[in-house]
Amino acid sequence: MSGQPMPCDAAELGTLFLFEKLDGEQLARLCREGRVEKFEPGYVYREGEPATCFFVLLEGTLVMSRRVGADDVEINRTSQRGVYAGAMQAYLAMPDEARYKGSLRVTEPSRFFLLPAETFAAVLRDWFPMAVHLLEGMFFGSQNTQRTINQRERLLALGSLSAGLTHELNNPAAAAVRATSTLRDRVAHMRHKLGVIAAGPYHREALKTLIDIQESTAERVAKAPALSPLEASDREDALTDWLDDHGIEGGWQIAPTFVQAGLDTDWLERVAAVVDQEMLQGAVGWLNYTVETELLMNEIEDSTTRVSNLVNAAKQYSQLDRAPYQICDVHELLDSTLLMLSGKIGSSIKVVKEYDRTLPRIPTYPGELNQVWTNIVDNAVSAMNGADGADDAGTLTVRTALEREQLLVEFRDTGPGVPEEIRGRIFDPFFTTKPVGEGTGLGLDISWRIVVNKHHGHLEVHSVPGDTRFRVFLPLTAQDPEPSAADPGTPQEAS
């Protein structure tokens, strides 16, 4: 809004820390090309409007704010004379039209010195040409550096994803290869045993009955109950005794396989009742190969299913085949991230999930939230030294809940904690406590921008030794599917 024009006093400008080193001619030029205006309580300018003026407070109280979702979040409130805001970067050769990055309002009648953006840029270039070049270099250099480091962060995240996925895929893939090799051997033995039985002096009806028993045995393998170690041991002893009593060689080797398949002495009695004694040894051996074959096929199925689930988790984590903005279940995102990072987490860190499954699905950018989870979990693992080979490095607890009418995702680790003197800086760009080469200092900065600016949520940290908690708050309803603050790395226009 426009203010009430007032006289400009060069002497008054000279009392401000911003202009105290200027000479009389320079102060006179400021008054000649600028102006003083008085503003009543209310907005002086709003975020997103063209940045036309550089404002310096002469008298009163100003409040700086940024738009986050449907709310104006206060950034700064001060009555200090000489503080400035507005078109602070007018001296930059920006290709696009500069706009105010925040809103400015006053809470009482306040006077400002206003300098048009073009004049502000010309004054700086005339009076401080070297400083302008340095500022331009610092600004654009910082932008280029941040783009490079962001790329490095993405490569590090890709490395964590690849390492975790490779680690997790290795076990089921190796299990499937081993089971396939063993299955080929067992099928060959079963064909040989079938040939021996078929060549023997057995009646057609006995063979038919034996095949029926084979079919029912395969069905029982699929429905085998889970036994405790004590129950399995007792059943193995009973089966071994039965096989020995009936003259079956190698009963102690066969019994564990039959127990794993859910077979018992009653089943063996049924087999003995339908075949002759001289046929029993071959029949039991043939059925043993049948059981082993079914168990191996189950193992292959389980292994390949795990591989498929891992691939699906990788797709869920990367969100490559999904819309960037969607309604989703945060628990699915958390599970896929923890699975992808399981290799880095290792066996020395215990992962505890305390999920509130009653929480609703919420509007998110899931691929970017997975990046937030990755950065926080990675820091927690590093803090607990999970890669040092300790048997019990600590515990990572991931909790979800409804709090402050928002969805809360909390990551709690038992590491040494974040010292109080640096706690307020951990979300700053390029700040890191990791050794050189291990961290860029952008992980938490990126996480902050994704949570606060893109999802209109909140990210906070509470820490004491042995209990560090990163708490991510996300709104339950959509704010702006394409928020204008998608690039929240722009500094605030307040000083």
Side-chain angles (χ1 to χ4, degrees):
M1 68 178 183
S2 299
Q4 176 186 353
M6 302 192 72
C8 179
D9 184 355
E12 182 182 24
L13 294 183
T15 63
L16 304 177
F17 66 85
L18 193 62
F19 304 133
E20 61 185 358
K21 300 298 183 181
L22 301 183
D23 58 30
E25 183 179 346
Q26 290 172 322
L27 292 173
R29 179 181 175 183
L30 290 181
C31 267
R32 185 171 61 252
E33 299 187 23
R35 63 186 186 275
V36 174
E37 292 185 5
K38 182 177 181 180
F39 293 84
E40 295 300 320
Y43 280 95
V44 177
Y45 63 76
R46 292 182 182 271
E47 181 177 349
E49 295 176 349
T52 58
C53 290
F54 177 71
F55 291 79
V56 182
L57 181 66
L58 298 175
E59 179 184 17
T61 301
L62 65 80
V63 176
M64 289 292 301
S65 62
R66 281 289 300 270
R67 192 72 170 174
V68 178
D71 303 318
D72 280 324
V73 179
E74 183 174 319
I75 303 299
N76 188 24
R77 179 186 294 256
T78 182
S79 299
Q80 181 182 358
R81 297 179 69 248
V83 297
Y84 50 89
M88 290 170 48
Q89 296 171 349
Y91 60 88
L92 296 174
M94 303 291 286
D96 55 342
E97 182 181 5
R99 295 183 178 274
Y100 293 122
K101 303 300 189 299
S103 298
L104 175 68
R105 61 186 175 88
V106 294
T107 59
E108 61 179 324
S110 303
R111 286 190 307 122
F112 287 90
F113 171 69
L114 283 69
L115 199 59
E118 299 81 2
T119 303
F120 175 58
V123 164
L124 281 182
R125 293 185 181 280
D126 290 346
W127 295 346
F128 314 106
M130 181 177 177
V132 169
H133 287 302
L134 290 174
L135 289 171
E136 284 183 333
M138 183 175 65
F139 179 82
F140 291 114
S142 175
Q143 281 191 332
N144 292 333
T145 300
Q146 188 159 12
R147 278 194 293 267
T148 302
I149 297 298
N150 283 346
Q151 180 67 21
R152 173 64 176 167
E153 283 287 332
R154 285 191 287 270
L155 290 174
L156 289 174
L158 178 60
S160 296
L161 169 64
S162 301
L165 185 59
T166 301
H167 173 83
E168 289 300 317
L169 285 173
N170 181 65
N171 290 335
V177 171
R178 288 194 303 269
T180 302
S181 177
T182 305
L183 178 62
R184 181 177 289 108
D185 177 71
R186 294 299 183 270
V187 170
H189 281 78
M190 188 167 65
R191 289 198 303 265
H192 174 72
K193 185 66 68 174
L194 178 60
V196 172
I197 293 175
Y202 306 121
H203 297 293
R204 181 190 299 265
E205 290 300 322
L207 291 176
K208 182 179 182 303
T209 302
L210 191 57
I211 291 175
D212 291 340
I213 293 175
Q214 181 190 38
E215 292 296 328
S216 63
T217 300
E219 293 177 2
R220 291 191 62 166
V221 172
K223 302 175 182 177
L227 301 177
S228 68
L230 182 59
E231 290 172 332
S233 178
D234 290 342
R235 185 170 291 189
E236 284 181 20
D237 290 341
L239 285 174
T240 301
D241 291 342
W242 190 97
L243 293 169
D244 290 343
D245 291 343
H246 289 75
I248 306 299
E249 296 179 1
W252 61 275
Q253 293 176 309
I254 297 175
T257 303
F258 283 176
V259 170
Q260 187 179 356
L263 307 180
D264 52 22
T265 54
D266 292 339
W267 174 81
L268 287 174
E269 290 291 353
R270 179 186 168 197
V271 175
V274 297
V275 300
D276 297 334
Q277 181 61 37
E278 65 272 14
M279 185 182 179
L280 185 59
Q281 173 75 44
V284 170
W286 184 46
L287 293 174
N288 179 55
Y289 288 132
T290 298
V291 170
E292 287 186 328
T293 300
E294 289 295 323
L295 291 174
L296 288 168
M297 286 193 293
N298 287 345
E299 184 177 348
I300 294 172
E301 182 181 17
D302 291 341
S303 299
T304 52
T305 299
R306 285 182 60 193
V307 171
S308 177
N309 290 339
L310 285 167
V311 172
N312 288 335
K315 290 172 63 178
Q316 169 74 13
Y317 178 86
S318 62
Q319 297 289 316
L320 291 178
D321 61 344
R322 304 190 179 195
Y325 185 78
Q326 57 181 287
I327 306 297
C328 69
D329 183 351
V330 294
H331 302 108
E332 295 178 358
L333 306 182
L334 291 168
D335 285 340
S336 66
T337 300
L338 291 173
L339 183 56
M340 291 300 100
L341 295 179
S342 58
K344 184 163 190 175
I345 294 172
S347 58
S348 61
I349 292 179
K350 180 181 179 182
V351 178
V352 177
K353 299 178 183 179
E354 298 178 356
Y355 292 168
D356 180 358
R357 295 288 186 177
T358 65
L359 293 174
R361 296 163 63 87
I362 62 172
T364 65
Y365 291 85
E368 299 191 32
L369 279 185
N370 281 338
Q371 187 177 4
V372 174
W373 313 149
T374 298
N375 292 334
I376 295 177
V377 171
D378 181 74
N379 285 343
V381 170
S382 297
M384 291 187 285
N385 296 317
D388 289 348
D391 293 335
D392 184 13
T395 301
L396 172 66
T397 303
V398 184
R399 182 173 73 93
T400 61
L402 185 63
E403 192 170 315
R404 305 180 192 173
E405 298 184 352
Q406 292 182 306
L407 191 150
L408 166 67
V409 180
E410 181 183 80
F411 298 84
R412 183 168 71 246
D413 70 70
T414 57
V418 181
E420 184 176 358
E421 59 270 19
I422 66 170
R423 206 170 299 158
R425 301 174 56 200
I426 61 174
F427 296 112
D428 293 349
F430 308 108
F431 178 79
T432 180
T433 58
K434 295 179 181 178
V436 175
E438 293 187 17
T440 62
L442 283 179
L444 291 179
D445 168 55
I446 292 172
S447 299
W448 172 273
R449 289 188 281 129
I450 290 173
V451 171
V452 176
N453 292 351
K454 196 130 191 185
H455 288 86
H456 312 302
H458 182 58
L459 176 59
E460 61 188 31
V461 60
H462 304 274
S463 182
V464 295
D467 186 2
T468 297
R469 306 185 184 200
F470 281 86
R471 294 161 59 85
V472 179
F473 291 90
L474 300 170
L476 301 177
T477 56
Q479 299 285 339
D480 181 1
E482 293 294 340
S484 59
D487 180 18
T490 306
Q492 297 295 331
E493 294 189 358
S495 175

